[in-house]
Amino acid sequence: MILVSVMYPGGADAPAFDLDYYLRHHMPLVRERWSAMGLEKAEVVKAAATPDGSPPPFQIMALLTFRSLEDFQQAAARHGKEIFADIPNFTKAQAVVQINEPQAW
């Protein structure tokens, strides 16, 4: 299992982000295209604060759980172009994508 983090930069100079479009159109597109390809869970979190009161480094994060790295790679190869082409519809921010391996503790 892997967790893919798609993070949209925040901070004082962060580009605008249309959360309504993101939640109503973009994330349903992600779920529709990738659920049959190994996407098991998709969660969106919106930054609220930092401990020191500074602007959060990321304003929005999508946390996508896939069965395997191979499943994610195949899903991205098949539908990634379409999904990433939708980003300008909700922000000018450059998404930072990170692949994570959940650890049991």
Side-chain angles (χ1 to χ4, degrees), residues 26-87:
H26 186 74
M27 288 307 294
L29 173 66
V30 169
R31 189 178 305 267
E32 179 183 315
R33 297 294 189 263
W34 286 352
S35 286
M37 301 189 75
L39 176 66
E40 294 190 344
K41 181 179 177 186
E43 183 177 8
V44 174
V45 295
K46 180 181 177 199
T50 60
D52 66 2
S54 63
F58 297 100
Q59 57 183 316
I60 301 291
M61 290 185 280
L63 307 173
L64 310 173
T65 303
F66 277 84
R67 288 184 303 242
S68 69
L69 176 58
E70 293 77 19
D71 283 347
F72 170 67
Q73 290 170 330
Q74 289 175 3
R78 184 155 181 202
H79 298 290
K81 189 173 187 177
E82 176 187 15
I83 289 169
F84 280 95
D86 190 46
I87 292 175

